[in-house]
Each structure stands twice: as structure tokens, then as C-alpha cells.
């Protein structure tokens, strides 16, 4: 399945990729987070750069080295990611939302470390902005790609998300399948389209998934050939 991308296929295109998980602070020493490693999103940024695109990577905290030639913008929380993505949206040709954005954040961020006193604590969480939905609602010329990590009814849930968020394409994966999901070097994904069309890829490295995605987007935009 290893193949080379045409190095010119995305030449002159501006692409924004989000990657990694966001962290939602509770106090100066604690946060709510998720298991996203950033691997899939970084691979996508790398594949677009390989294909000649001008790539901006908006990333949550991650240990991965940003790919060569990619402008990397670091953020911590979902609200920060929302701001960085929205301010750059107008100039983009393609946006790929691979980040695992926290759906909720603590209603209050304590200025001081929360102290225990033997009692239970009830945390109030408030919803974060849905970045992909906001992009879908403000879409002009941009090609919008979402991700969906599901643990059940992968395709049905994916199609519903795709339509609700007005994305042009959704990459879905069953994060519970062996060789797929968080922290692994491989992934098993399907490409979903609003008309219900679905392309199933075999298990492959995240970089090859990323290259296939770039090729697929090029085809959909009519800027490439198989
Ligand atoms: N997403 C986003 N902003 C959020 C939550 C999700 O932009 N606040 C994006 C993700 O980056 C991904 C897509 O929406 O591209 C789907 O994310 P997912 O978590 O699967 O969907 P949700 O709408 O949050 O639904 P749920 O978690 O309840 O399944
Ligand atoms: Ca979510």
C-alpha cells in the first residue's frame, strides 16, 4: 500500500490541518484531556506538504516533531483552537479537522490549586464551540474534511455528523478496532461522502492513510489523477 504522492498535486493550495487533543484547565496544575496523540493529524500535514501545499498545522500539545516546512501554531484549549482556526479560515482552500477537540470545559477555571477536604467534588462542564460546525456554517470556497472517532454504529453516526456539520467528506474510524485509533502507528478508516458513498481502506500506516486522503481530496477537487 506504500505509494508516492505526486509532489505537485497540491502546489499553490493553502491547507489548514488541526491535530492532537485539546486540554481544558481545571486549575494551574490540572486539566481534562483525551488520548489523542496527534499522529494522524501530523501525518496529514506532512502528506499535504509532500504534495506541495502551503500547510498550517494548528496543534494541541503533542510530542511529535512538526513536519518540515509546515507552519505550526500551538494551542492548548478548544477555545484557543477555535480562534486560531477561524482567523485563518478565509484564506484556506482545504481544512482538515483531525484534532480531538474537547466537547466540554470546566465552567470555572480555579486560579488556585483545588484543595481536597475529604468531600466529593462536583464538576460543572459547559460545551465548547464546535469548530467543524462553525466552519461548515461559514463555508465559501473551502473544501472541508472532518474526522469521526466512533466506538459503535460507525457509519450511521459518521453520516449524521457529516451532514450536520456540512463537511464535504468525513474520515471515520472505529477507535476500538485493533490497529486503529489513539496512539497507534496504523489506522483503519473509511472515507464517507454526503451522498452515502463510502471508501474502505485496509489497515495501513497513518502516513499512508494521510497520502491516500490527499490523493482523494485532489481527485474530488478535480486536481489530480489516479
Ligand atoms: N469537532 C470540532 N469541534 C468540537 C468537537 C468536534 O471541530 N468542539 C470536530 C472534530 O475535529 C472532528 C469532528 O468534529 O473533525 C467530529 O468530532 P467528534 O468528536 O467525532 O464529533 P462530535 O460532534 O463532538 O460528537 P460526539 O463526540 O458526541 O460523538
Ligand atoms: Ca466529540
Amino acid at each position: 500500500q506504500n505509494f508516492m504522492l505526486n509532489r505537485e498535486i497540491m502546489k499553490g493550495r493553502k491547507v489548514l490541518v488541526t491535530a492532537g487533543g485539546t486540554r481544558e484547565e481545571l486549575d494551574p496544575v490540572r486539566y481534562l484531556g483525551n488520548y489523542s496523540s496527534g499522529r494522524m493529524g501530523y501525518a496529514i500535514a506532512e502528506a499535504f506538504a509532500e504534495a506541495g501545499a502551503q500547510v498550517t498545522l494548528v496543534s494541541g500539545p503533542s510530542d511529535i516533531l512538526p513536519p518540515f516546512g509546515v507552519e505550526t501554531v500551538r494551542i492548548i484549549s478548544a477555545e484557543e483552537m477555535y480562534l486560531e482556526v477561524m482567523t485563518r479560515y478565509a484564506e484556506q482552500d482545504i481544512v482538515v479537522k483531525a484534532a480531538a477537540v474537547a466537547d466540554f470545559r470546566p465552567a470555572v477555571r480555579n486560579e488556585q490549586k483545588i484543595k481536597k477536604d475529604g468531600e466529593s467534588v462536583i464538576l460543572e462542564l459547559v460545551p465548547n464551540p464546535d469548530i467543524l460546525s462553525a466552519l461548515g456554517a461559514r463555508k465559501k470556497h473551502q473544501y472541508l474534511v472532518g474526522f469521526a472517532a466512533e466506538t459503535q454504529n460507525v457509519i450511521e453516526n459518521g453520516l449524521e455528523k457529516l451532514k450536520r456539520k456540512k463537511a464535504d467528506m468525513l474520515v471515520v474510524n472505529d477507535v476500538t478496532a485493533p490497529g486503529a485509533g489513539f496512539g497507534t502507528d496504523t489506522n483503519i478508516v473509511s472515507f464517507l461522502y454526503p451522498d452515502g458513498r463510502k471508501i474502505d481502506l485496509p489497515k495501513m500506516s497513518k502516513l499512508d492513510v494521510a497520502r491516500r486522503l490527499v490523493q482523494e481530496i485532489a481527485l474530488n477537487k478535480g486536481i489530480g489523477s489516479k
Side-chain angles (χ1 to χ4, degrees), residues 143-218:
Y143 194 86
L144 199 52
V145 182
F147 266 71
E150 300 288 349
T151 57
Q152 57 180 351
N153 303 328
V154 178
I155 303 305
E156 299 91 294
N157 288 342
L159 252 185
E160 185 276 321
K161 253 174 218 178
L162 174 61
K163 290 178 179 164
R164 176 163 45 88
K165 302 191 183 210
K166 298 188 168 65
D168 296 295
M169 179 183 179
L170 200 74
V171 181
V172 292
N173 64 339
D174 181 344
V175 286
T176 60
F182 298 124
T184 60
D185 282 317
T186 55
N187 213 352
I188 308 166
V189 307
S190 301
F191 298 151
L192 264 188
Y193 291 99
D195 63 2
R197 194 160 59 90
K198 178 166 82 80
I199 299 172
D200 296 313
L201 302 188
K203 178 159 103 178
M204 51 175 95
S205 74
K206 286 183 174 173
L207 186 54
D208 278 344
V209 170
R211 288 169 170 155
R212 278 296 302 268
L213 178 64
V214 171
Q215 188 186 48
E216 185 74 15
I217 294 169

Side-chain angles (χ1 to χ4, degrees), residues 18 78 81 96-103 128-133 135 145-150 161 164-165 170:
T18 70
M81 180 174 277
V96 182
K97 287 276 332 163
V101 185
D103 293 326
N128 271 326
D130 188 313
I131 305 168
L132 184 56
S133 292
L135 296 172
V145 182
F147 266 71
E150 300 288 349
K161 253 174 218 178
R164 176 163 45 88
K165 302 191 183 210
L170 200 74

Side-chain angles (χ1 to χ4, degrees), residues 17-28:
V17 179
T18 70
T22 65
R23 290 180 181 176
E24 310 300 321
E25 275 188 35
L26 272 169
D27 69 19

